[in-house]
Amino acid sequence: MRLTLLFAVFVVLGLAFESAVPHLVPFRALIPNLIIILVVDLGLRHHGVLPAMLAFAMGYATDALAGSHPGLNAFMMTMVFLVSYEISTRLMVTNALVGATVVFLGVIATALATVAFANGFNALSDTGSMLGGLTLEAAISAIVAPFIFSMLAASKRMTGLPVRAMRE
């Protein structure tokens, strides 16, 4: 229950940040995708049904606020969670660098999936114009990810949740 509440607070803050800041910053690619960072943390550190359901709920909340196609973000966040989970179970080392790499790839995959579903799969052949901004957003998200991971770990310690360290 504490895990659910902790992530609910972080999701509300992340969605508020991602919704409010684009009105202040003229270039959307400068805003990190905080929800993917939270989902990757869930996948790397928490295993079981509850974290998978939380990842789906995070995507569903994103769909409710800013989703172009209902269910697409929920599906993509669940996929990012599953990839993170599989990486954490297969690799001997899952540190912040691995987490940041998964965040980078997750941001790119979700953006490409959104374009593919919104405009048809033929629209992926014309992604050259958006590739620069997409890469910048993914890089900024990857840079911010270790800080968010450490904030989550500190919040888990403060709430009495067990902190599963990334294996080094």
Side-chain angles (χ1 to χ4, degrees), residues 40 44 95-105 138 141-143 145-146 149:
V40 168
L44 292 177
N95 54 20
L97 179 63
V98 172
T101 304
V102 175
V103 166
F104 182 84
L105 296 174
S141 297
I143 291 168
F149 293 154

Side-chain angles (χ1 to χ4, degrees), residues 63-76:
D63 278 330
L65 277 156
S68 58
H69 294 293
L72 181 59
N73 283 314
F75 173 74
M76 290 308 297

